Amino acid sequence: MRWRPRSILGGFGLTFGFTLFYLCVIVLIPLSAIFIKTAGLGPTEFFAVALSRRAVAAYRLSFGAAALAAAINSIFGLLVAWVLVRYDFAGKRIVGALVDLPFALPTAVAGIALTALYAPTGWIGALLPIKVAFEPIGVVVALSFIGLPFVVRTVEPVLADLGHDVEEAAASLGAGRRQTFVRVILPAVLPALATGFALAFARGVGEYGSVIFIAGNLPFRSEIAPLLIVQQLEQYNYAGATAIAATMLFASFAVLLAINLLQAWDRKRMASQ
Amino acid sequence: MRTLVGLLVLVGLGTAPALHAETAILNVSYDPTRELYKHIDLAFAADWKAKTGETVTINQSHGGSGKQARSVIDGLEADVVTLALAYDIDEIAAKSGLLPATWQKRLPNNSTPYFSTVVFLVRKGNPKGIRDWNDLVRPGVAVITPNPKSSGGARWNYLAAWGYATRTLGAAKAREFVTKLYHNVPVLDSGARGATTTFVQRGQGDVLLAWENEAYLATHEAGGDAFEIVTPSISVLAEPPVAVVDKNAAKHGTTKVAEAYLRFLYTPAGQEIIAHDYYRPRDPAVAAKYAGTFKPLQMFTIDRNFGGWQRAHKAHFADGGSFDQIFEAAKR
Amino acid sequence: MTTSPPTSPTTAEPRWVRWTLIAVALAFLVVTLALPLAAVFAGALARGLTAYRSAIAEADAIAAMRLTLTVAAIAVPLNIVFGLAASWAVAKFDFPGKSILISLIDLPLSVSPVVSGLIYILLFGLQGWGGEWLRDHDVKIVFAVPGIVLATMFVTFPFVARELIPLMLEQGRSDEEAACSLGATGWQTFARVTLPNIRWGLLYGVLLCNARAMGEFGAVSVVSGHIRGLTNTLPLHIEILYNEYNYVAAFAVASLLAGLALVTLVAKSLLEWRFGDQLAGGR
């Protein structure tokens, strides 16, 4: 390497080189296959497939359900994080550990368990007046399961680091507890909450294993975008499958970018305090 | 990159069973035949051992027929394919050249050692009073059938409904009929087995459109009289074909075993297993023996009613075909 | 990671508010998390212990277990090596494009598992770029174990790196630079100074990576070929059992993975509890 980074530590060439190599071989080259294959389609054909009415319905479901689930997770995730950080109660440690269950549990296991629970014959499904399994709302339920730890784990450290002095200052100035929460605590937590939302959303959009059992898979109604990709594959329409995959990848990149920008904003804010 | 590939290959070979000591063939099949081929494979292995002294292992893969065909085209090295409809094997021939386009003529009965039809499975007592196809379009009846885009069984279901409508209501009204039917479908599984699970286990729907053998199997698995089979007045003659995948078998050196395996399906022993597992056998003697199980019904064929699978597929299941249009219209 | 409740009455909520919030949070968690877990075990034991045992001991299940373990045994160490290399390069040096690199490492997290499998079909499938060459040389990648390993590596790629990078960034370079100035070689520095500092973060990342590697479904489903006894991992085997009306067996095998998840959670909590200060604060 002509240019060397300024450091007395060795090993840059080796580690950086290996990192790039591994990244290329495992991630970048395979991913580029999607774009190269898609590029084989002309622009008209690409938009015809990627924006076909069925695809749009699928995006609407995948993105819509992911957004709704992420929103639910933001509210309840904040609540759970708050309760875990601020309060003490019996079994708190167990609850804290349990929050990570969706990270550790395989998606297929979650899928069959949730379907069993919310089907009309299931423990919860039998109690509810509305049909959950095989309807779009079932997708929201599954994605809420998947996304919860993203929000809790992102918000918890921020809540924990929140000093009490600002709250006490607000209280001494006459703010009620609720006012303090809305005007002091919430703004401080907002970047982390937004990051958690974005992470849960990004994960939910592409989720397959836990949703495929509980979704109805009806085109135009309860068909998730990843399933549509699989369908196109099974019709030997590789270009169609990659077109939809490419569209979803673009959306994911955008969300990833937003997350990184959010985190940079947060770091800058923290640094300035 | 080469070393990485090599490493991975070594691992792959290391974890695969020792294929050198015995012969192994891969049968890539469609969804509902799991139980059938479990029995066939045992019987054939014993038969082959007795005849040639060679031990043969038959590996099975099951999934939606279209999905399985796609996998073979993508490189899944099936020695034989036993799929739900001739169209899927035609596609393998056309898109990968692994077997000749004339494959269907090589075995008797258009390469279909067993056939079946589409019947209705209803809950005990048939509470919605479903007797025939026209009951399926009544409001308030929930019909379970898989997605024709990925499931071979679903395509037979779809064409059976279409054929019924053509014959009883006229060709002009057929599309309307099938649209109304799909209006009543709450969930689309990707495979025939998934649909049966949804109906039987998840308690969805009032009636399941199923392969006859699936219906029987479900009734027995569920036990008791939880479900009843309703045979409609007319249905489609469903002929799931089998074929040796020439280039793969030649590559593995298993052509002889693969051919013997498929021929076994036509022997009395094979036909007996087939009938026992609720597939309608071709052998007249075995059919007579199991006459009680299989109700006679009028059946129409794809060739006569739809001009063959190529045309049927283009008109109905290709992108923009009647299924796509119907589904858009049925979107609620 | 946790602070004690505020003692000052001006910044504490009234008790009834506190307990209501706890109750609502717990109710939400029970419904969302605990019930599905319970459903798995209830389904597995629905027909008693003998049915459970025979489901686990069945030949195809054991083959699936072996495959899952093999795949994890290859994918996880490779991703560990990558994670160590990447975090060393990122944390100990300054170079342009660092944030791009970090974003690229995060990429697989936002790719749908189905797409993760699809890309390998496009590359190595018979109709793909390398397909014909591979077939002529009898190298099986997709629809065989190597394809499953690759897809799993793709999906679990970021986990170790994501744990180590912030941790090593936080820890800085002073320790390593001190060691270097005292005459230690690069490897010595790494082994004796860096590794001990990051060992709990590393373990944490390995746990997550492993859990995901053993549980991956979507990506493996696309590349697997579903050959019973040969290319079915545990999650795929669960799907097969489920599709054969064998719900008890499906849940029985699922309970194995659920059990693994619980072990992962316990190990994670222990790590956080004892060594929380040595793990990165933000994630």
Side-chain angles (χ1 to χ4, degrees):
Chain A
M1 291 197 78
R2 289 87 66 233
W3 154 88
R4 282 215 162 274
R6 268 179 283 124
S7 174
I8 61 167
L9 298 173
F12 178 74
L14 179 64
T15 53
F16 188 71
F18 178 74
T19 302
L20 271 191
F21 166 77
Y22 198 86
L23 187 62
C24 282
V25 166
I26 301 289
V27 178
L28 294 181
I29 294 180
L31 271 182
S32 64
I34 298 266
F35 296 105
I36 296 183
K37 191 85 188 182
T38 310
L41 292 172
T44 19
E45 223 194 305
F46 172 82
F47 284 114
V49 177
L51 296 179
S52 72
R53 265 176 299 191
R54 188 165 165 206
V56 170
Y59 301 146
R60 227 187 5 232
L61 177 63
S62 279
F63 286 95
L68 188 52
I72 295 176
N73 280 141
S74 298
I75 301 174
F76 284 98
L78 177 59
L79 174 63
V80 170
W82 178 269
V83 162
L84 283 176
V85 170
R86 289 294 178 101
Y87 304 151
D88 259 330
F89 50 91
K92 181 162 101 151
R93 220 179 273 295
I94 301 181
V95 173
L98 201 59
V99 168
D100 275 329
L101 182 66
F103 274 161
L105 195 65
T107 51
V109 175
I112 58 177
L114 287 170
T115 314
L117 269 183
Y118 289 94
T121 48
W123 292 348
I124 302 184
L127 296 173
L128 292 176
I130 52 165
K131 235 179 54 162
V132 174
F134 312 118
E135 293 291 321
I137 191 152
V139 178
V140 176
V141 168
L143 293 182
S144 304
F145 175 89
I146 293 294
L148 182 64
F150 287 104
V151 177
V152 177
R153 290 304 179 219
T154 322
V155 170
E156 246 188 320
V158 174
L159 265 184
D161 281 341
L162 220 49
H164 290 304
D165 34 344
V166 189
E167 288 172 59
E168 286 180 356
S172 70
L173 288 172
R177 192 62 188 148
R178 204 152 17 124
Q179 260 185 316
T180 315
F181 181 78
V182 172
R183 296 244 184 137
V184 176
I185 299 175
L186 208 48
V189 179
L190 212 50
L193 202 53
T195 308
F197 177 92
L199 285 171
F201 177 74
R203 175 71 194 268
V205 166
E207 183 57 29
Y208 183 75
S210 46
V211 182
I212 206 67
F213 294 91
I214 201 173
N217 309 323
L218 289 172
F220 297 105
R221 184 167 158 79
S222 47
E223 183 180 46
I224 55 172
L227 177 61
L228 187 53
I229 296 177
V230 174
Q231 295 275 12
Q232 289 294 306
L233 263 186
E234 285 163 19
Q235 288 171 254
Y236 321 113
N237 191 357
Y238 299 98
T242 50
I244 300 176
T247 314
M248 290 192 68
L249 277 176
F250 279 132
S252 306
F253 290 172
V255 178
L256 242 192
L257 193 61
I259 294 174
N260 278 329
L261 287 174
L262 270 172
Q263 284 181 325
W265 168 44
D266 193 23
R267 268 196 294 268
K268 242 188 293 180
R269 249 175 33 103
M270 290 283 117
S272 67
Q273 277 177 0
Chain B
M1 184 61 193
R2 275 276 186 100
T3 27
L4 179 66
V5 169
L7 256 174
L8 292 172
V9 166
L10 278 176
V11 171
L13 289 176
T15 47
L19 296 169
H20 316 290
E22 49 178 52
T23 329
I25 58 172
L26 174 61
N27 175 356
V28 170
S29 189
Y30 61 112
D31 220 4
T33 52
R34 300 153 193 268
E35 291 76 17
L36 171 67
Y37 281 106
K38 222 188 282 192
H39 301 146
I40 293 270
D41 291 350
L42 271 172
F44 175 74
D47 188 74
W48 185 254
K49 183 105 195 236
K51 286 213 182 90
T52 66
E54 206 180 61
T55 321
V56 62
T57 315
I58 301 138
N59 292 314
Q60 289 288 139
S61 171
H62 293 274
S65 185
K67 175 179 174 176
Q68 295 292 75
R70 194 268 300 171
S71 298
V72 175
I73 293 174
D74 275 333
L76 181 57
E77 290 190 11
D79 297 278
V80 305
V81 284
T82 56
L83 296 178
L85 48 153
Y87 178 79
D88 287 329
I89 304 188
D90 283 335
E91 284 293 294
I92 298 180
K95 295 221 154 59
S96 69
L98 290 168
L99 72 165
T102 51
W103 61 272
Q104 203 161 15
K105 310 255 183 330
R106 302 196 294 194
L107 285 170
N109 299 112
N110 267 341
S111 287
T112 58
Y114 44 84
F115 63 104
S116 192
T117 187
V118 174
V119 299
F120 308 155
L121 191 67
V122 297
R123 305 197 185 275
K124 172 174 166 177
N126 196 356
K128 295 274 174 111
I130 296 172
R131 302 258 167 269
D132 205 351
W133 291 98
N134 55 338
D135 290 318
L136 298 177
V137 298
R138 279 181 2 222
V141 172
V143 180
I144 305 290
T145 172
N147 190 333
K149 296 284 205 170
S150 57
S151 163
R155 282 181 237 182
W156 290 112
N157 292 352
Y158 186 94
L159 293 177
W162 195 283
Y164 164 85
T166 314
R167 279 162 174 253
T168 48
L169 302 170
K173 295 274 180 122
R175 171 180 299 231
E176 201 187 307
F177 179 83
V178 179
T179 307
K180 273 199 270 187
L181 190 145
Y182 273 88
H183 207 83
N184 282 350
V185 175
V187 69
L188 272 186
D189 291 279
S190 62
R193 190 47 68 92
T196 316
T197 306
T198 301
F199 181 76
V200 169
Q201 183 71 0
R202 297 283 153 249
Q204 290 280 98
D206 302 305
V207 55
L208 171 71
L209 299 185
W211 291 96
E212 186 180 42
N213 51 277
E214 271 290 274
Y216 272 110
L217 194 61
T219 324
H220 280 257
E221 284 290 327
D225 52 355
F227 300 102
E228 295 172 11
I229 298 181
V230 172
T231 314
S233 60
I234 183 171
S235 192
V236 68
L237 176 65
E239 300 178 292
V242 303
V244 174
V245 184
D246 295 39
K247 290 218 178 116
N248 286 340
K251 181 168 172 242
H252 302 153
T254 51
T255 316
K256 238 176 54 165
V257 188
E259 283 174 357
Y261 179 70
L262 292 185
R263 287 203 184 275
F264 180 77
L265 292 167
Y266 290 91
T267 61
Q271 291 281 300
E272 181 79 33
I273 297 177
I274 283 168
H276 185 262
D277 278 329
Y278 307 112
Y279 291 79
R280 295 189 179 221
R282 292 289 191 191
D283 185 323
V286 181
K289 190 163 153 209
Y290 282 86
T293 320
F294 301 112
K295 299 206 176 26
L297 76 160
Q298 237 196 324
M299 292 193 254
F300 52 83
T301 62
I302 299 294
D303 281 337
R304 261 226 294 240
N305 253 60
F306 296 92
W309 269 109
Q310 288 290 343
R311 287 171 101 194
H313 188 270
K314 193 141 177 247
H316 296 283
F317 307 118
D319 267 343
S322 75
F323 176 73
D324 277 343
Q325 295 167 9
I326 280 180
F327 232 86
E328 252 203 282
K331 144 171 82 152
R332 313 154 233 141
Chain C
M1 196 80 109
T2 57
T3 54
S4 50
T7 45
S8 157
T10 48
T11 55
E13 297 74 51
R15 282 193 74 205
W16 70 269
V17 173
R18 246 187 286 161
W19 285 107
T20 320
L21 288 180
I22 295 178
V24 174
L26 283 184
F28 177 75
L29 287 178
V30 164
V31 172
T32 318
L33 300 181
L35 275 185
L37 197 57
V40 172
F41 290 104
L45 295 170
R47 280 207 214 136
L49 269 183
T50 5
Y52 183 85
R53 261 198 294 255
S54 55
I56 310 282
E58 196 248 322
D60 281 344
I62 301 221
M65 268 183 250
R66 215 176 35 220
L67 182 60
T68 299
L69 289 172
T70 310
V71 169
I74 301 174
V76 173
L78 283 176
N79 282 334
I80 291 178
V81 171
F82 168 78
L84 288 171
S87 50
W88 178 270
V90 165
K92 309 298 176 192
F93 304 99
D94 285 319
F95 52 89
K98 204 193 271 200
S99 44
I100 299 183
L101 183 62
I102 298 183
S103 297
L104 284 178
I105 293 178
D106 269 348
L107 210 45
L109 284 178
S110 54
V111 174
S112 172
V114 168
V115 176
S116 314
L118 169 62
I119 55 184
Y120 291 104
I121 301 272
L122 288 178
L123 274 184
F124 301 119
L126 194 53
Q127 313 296 321
W129 293 351
E132 285 296 338
W133 184 92
L134 290 171
R135 187 189 162 87
D136 292 335
H137 294 79
D138 204 14
V139 175
K140 286 205 196 90
I141 300 213
V142 287
F143 306 121
V145 179
I148 298 179
V149 172
L150 278 176
T152 308
M153 276 168 70
F154 181 94
V155 171
T156 56
F157 178 84
F159 284 97
V160 177
R162 286 189 91 230
E163 278 310 313
L164 291 182
I165 289 181
L167 180 60
M168 286 174 78
L169 278 173
E170 221 177 279
Q171 286 176 346
R173 311 172 194 170
S174 38
D175 285 350
E176 284 78 9
E177 286 177 345
C180 251
S181 65
L182 289 173
T185 65
W187 287 109
Q188 277 179 327
T189 315
F190 177 74
R192 298 237 188 135
V193 179
T194 320
L195 263 189
N197 273 345
I198 59 170
R199 64 183 163 200
W200 300 120
L202 181 60
L203 194 50
Y204 200 84
V206 169
L207 277 175
L208 287 179
C209 184
N210 181 62
R212 187 68 198 268
M214 291 197 173
E216 178 52 36
F217 177 72
V220 177
S221 179
V222 174
V223 296
S224 153
H226 301 272
I227 306 177
R228 312 173 66 110
L230 288 181
T231 60
N232 277 312
T233 55
L234 274 178
L236 292 184
H237 190 60
I238 294 175
E239 191 197 19
I240 287 188
L241 289 170
Y242 192 75
N243 281 340
E244 286 184 350
Y245 306 123
N246 212 337
Y247 306 110
V248 172
F251 280 106
V253 180
S255 71
L256 285 182
L257 288 173
L260 172 68
L262 287 175
V263 168
T264 308
L265 288 182
V266 168
K268 267 187 81 192
S269 323
L270 282 177
L271 276 180
E272 272 168 0
W273 180 38
R274 301 246 344 258
F275 304 102
D277 51 328
Q278 293 180 39
L279 303 174
R283 205 159 285 114

